[in-house]
Amino acid sequence: PASREPFLALPDFISALFPSSPCAACYTSRTLRWQDVVPDCSSEFGNKFCIWINAAPLSVPLREQRLLDVKLQQVPAWIMKRDFSPSGMFKAVRRGYNAYFNKYIDVKKGGIGGVTMVLAGYILLNYCAAYKELKHERWRKYH
Amino acid sequence: MNENLFAPFICPTIMGISTLPIIMIFPCLIFTTPKRWLPNRIQMLQIWLIRLITKQMMTMHNNLGRTWALMLMTLILFIATTNLLGLLPYSFTPTTQLSMNISMAIPLWMATVLLGFRNKPKTSLAHFLPQGTPTLLIPMLIIIETISLFIQPLALAVRLTANITAGHLLIHLISSAALALVSINIVLSSVTLIVLFLLTILELAVAMIQAYVFTLLVSLYLHNNT
C-alpha cells in the first residue's frame, strides 16, 4: 500500500537519473507524515513506542482488542476472555463511568443533556425492576 | 387497583437480584469531585450549593459542633437527592422505608446525646427541667422531658417516612383518578390534572424541605449537647 512506502527526501528527477533502478516510481517525493516518524508495530523495527495503525486485526491478541474492533464471530470468545473477578468488574464499571463523565459532563460548556441521559437510564432501570407488577395492570386493562 | 397502591413501595428486583444497593449508591454518582482548579458547570453549581447550605447550617455551632459539618452535609444531600429522584416515574424511594429512616435517625440522635453526656453532663441533665418550673410540677415535667427525649429519633424517622410516603400515594391516587375521568368527563379530568400539577410542585418542595428539617433537627440536638 502507498502508506508503506519508505520516505526518502529525494528530488523529482531521481527516476530520470536512475531509470533502471527497481521500483523507481516508488521513490517519489512527498510530504513527511506522522506515520513516517512513529514506527508501526507490525514492522520488524517495532518497539514499545510503536502504534498499531496498519496491523491486521488478527495480529493483535483477542484479549487486548477493543469491543468495536472485534469481529462479530469472535465476540463470545472476547467476552469469555474478560476479567470477571470483583476488582476486574469494578474497574470496568469505573472505566465506563469515567468515559461517560469525560465525554458529557466534564466539558467546558456542559448542559442538562449529560445528566438527563443518566436520569433516563435510571428511569429505564426502575421500569425493568417494576415490570413484574406493572404487567398485571396492563393485562387487566387490555384483556 | 388495590394491590397496585403498594407496588411503588416494594423493594425492586431484577431477575431475583435486588436493585436496592444500586438505587442507594446512585446519588453518589451524581455528586462528583472536582479534579481541576476551575471545574465544569455542574461541579461549580454543586460547590456553590454545598457552600450555601454549609454556611446556613454551621454558623450556630461551636468548634466541636462544626466537626460534624461533613456528616450533616452528607445527610442533607443524600436525603434531598433520594427524595427528588423518587419523584421520577417508576422509581423507588428508599426514604419511604421506615427501616432506613430509623437507621439514620437513631445513631445520629444517640451520638448527640452521648456526646452531651460525655462533654457536658450537668448541662445535658439540666435540659430535663426547663427554667422557671413550679416546684410541684417538677417530677411530672422530668418524666415528660425524658419521654420527649426518647421520642426524638422516632419522630425524626416517622416524619420523613410519612411525608414522603403520603406524597407518593397522593400523586398515585390523583393521577389514577385523572386517567379514569378522561373517558367520563373531560372537564373534571382537566381540573384533576391541574391539581396533580400543583401537587407535584408541592412534592418537589416537600422533598427538599424534609431533608432540611431532618438535618436541622439533628444539628439542633447537636447544638444542645455541645
Side-chain angles (χ1 to χ4, degrees):
Chain A
S3 58
R4 288 193 182 273
E5 286 172 0
F7 180 81
L8 297 167
L10 296 173
D12 285 328
F13 48 83
I14 194 70
S15 53
L17 284 175
F18 302 100
S20 59
S21 59
C23 193
C26 296
Y27 301 104
T28 52
S29 63
R30 58 180 174 84
T31 52
L32 185 70
R33 302 166 306 153
W34 68 266
Q35 288 95 332
D36 298 314
V37 179
V38 180
D40 186 10
C41 285
S42 59
S43 69
E44 62 269 24
F45 302 108
N47 53 30
K48 61 178 174 180
F49 298 110
C50 61
I51 290 180
W52 293 94
I53 46 170
N54 292 320
L58 286 171
S59 63
V60 178
L62 190 64
R63 198 190 150 81
E64 286 166 23
Q65 284 184 33
R66 295 171 157 235
L67 180 61
L68 293 173
D69 295 330
V70 173
K71 301 264 184 282
L72 265 176
Q73 283 175 341
Q74 294 172 313
V75 167
W78 181 87
I79 289 171
M80 293 312 295
K81 285 193 193 299
R82 299 300 293 171
D83 183 14
F84 287 109
S85 67
S87 67
M89 287 200 286
F90 176 76
K91 279 178 194 165
V93 169
R94 191 73 199 170
R95 275 198 306 272
Y97 174 83
N98 285 342
Y100 185 88
F101 180 75
N102 290 329
K103 184 162 180 177
Y104 292 109
I105 313 268
D106 200 18
V107 290
K108 216 195 279 191
K109 285 192 168 188
I112 56 169
V115 183
T116 311
M117 282 194 283
V118 173
L119 293 178
Y122 181 71
I123 293 172
L124 197 67
L125 178 80
N126 279 300
Y127 181 78
C128 297
Y131 184 72
K132 216 166 47 167
E133 280 87 29
L134 286 169
K135 68 183 179 195
H136 297 294
E137 189 62 24
R138 198 152 47 87
W139 291 351
R140 189 185 63 81
K141 268 164 69 173
Y142 296 117
H143 283 260
Chain B
M1 173 70 180
N2 291 329
E3 197 265 327
N4 207 15
L5 277 177
F6 295 108
F9 304 109
I10 301 168
C11 289
T13 54
I14 291 182
M15 293 195 291
I17 303 167
S18 170
T19 53
L20 196 60
I22 303 170
I23 291 171
M24 289 188 68
I25 289 169
F26 186 68
C28 303
L29 300 178
I30 295 176
F31 294 107
T32 48
T33 325
K35 294 276 187 293
R36 299 192 180 93
W37 179 74
L38 200 67
N40 55 54
R41 281 178 176 177
I42 292 174
Q43 282 171 347
M44 286 303 288
L45 198 69
Q46 174 189 314
I47 290 166
W48 168 81
L49 190 70
I50 293 175
R51 282 187 184 159
L52 181 75
I53 301 170
T54 313
K55 264 190 275 193
Q56 167 74 21
M57 302 211 78
M58 305 314 293
T59 28
M60 65 169 174
H61 288 114
N62 56 13
N63 285 341
L64 184 60
R66 283 175 190 176
T67 57
W68 278 56
L70 186 64
M71 180 75 231
L72 293 174
M73 289 310 111
T74 315
L75 189 68
I76 190 170
L77 286 173
F78 176 71
I79 300 176
T81 324
T82 315
N83 290 347
L84 286 169
L85 283 172
L87 290 170
L88 292 169
Y90 301 116
S91 56
F92 172 74
T93 322
T95 41
T96 53
Q97 309 297 312
L98 188 66
S99 52
M100 176 168 142
N101 294 336
I102 280 196
S103 63
M104 282 197 299
I106 288 185
L108 289 167
W109 163 82
M110 197 174 286
T112 58
V113 168
L114 290 174
L115 203 68
F117 276 112
R118 190 174 180 275
N119 293 342
K120 295 181 184 176
K122 277 190 227 168
T123 320
S124 301
L125 283 170
H127 280 133
F128 284 116
L129 191 66
Q131 255 181 340
T133 318
T135 320
L136 285 172
L137 285 174
I138 287 174
M140 198 173 74
L141 212 58
I142 289 182
I143 293 168
I144 290 171
E145 288 289 326
T146 313
I147 294 169
S148 85
L149 177 75
F150 286 103
I151 282 281
Q152 280 171 357
L154 287 173
L156 270 177
V158 172
R159 182 185 302 110
L160 183 59
T161 312
N163 269 291
I164 306 299
T165 311
H168 284 208
L169 263 175
L170 263 176
I171 287 176
H172 204 122
L173 286 167
I174 292 182
S175 59
S176 309
L179 200 64
L181 282 170
V182 156
S183 51
I184 299 169
N185 188 345
I186 196 87
V187 172
L188 205 58
S189 176
S190 336
V191 171
T192 320
L193 273 173
I194 293 169
V195 171
L196 180 66
F197 176 69
L198 294 170
L199 185 67
T200 312
I201 296 171
L202 176 72
E203 279 310 303
L204 276 165
V206 162
M208 292 183 280
I209 287 167
Q210 284 306 313
Y212 178 66
V213 161
F214 194 104
T215 315
L216 189 69
L217 282 169
V218 171
S219 98
L220 197 71
Y221 302 151
L222 180 69
H223 183 68
N224 288 342
N225 286 302
T226 51

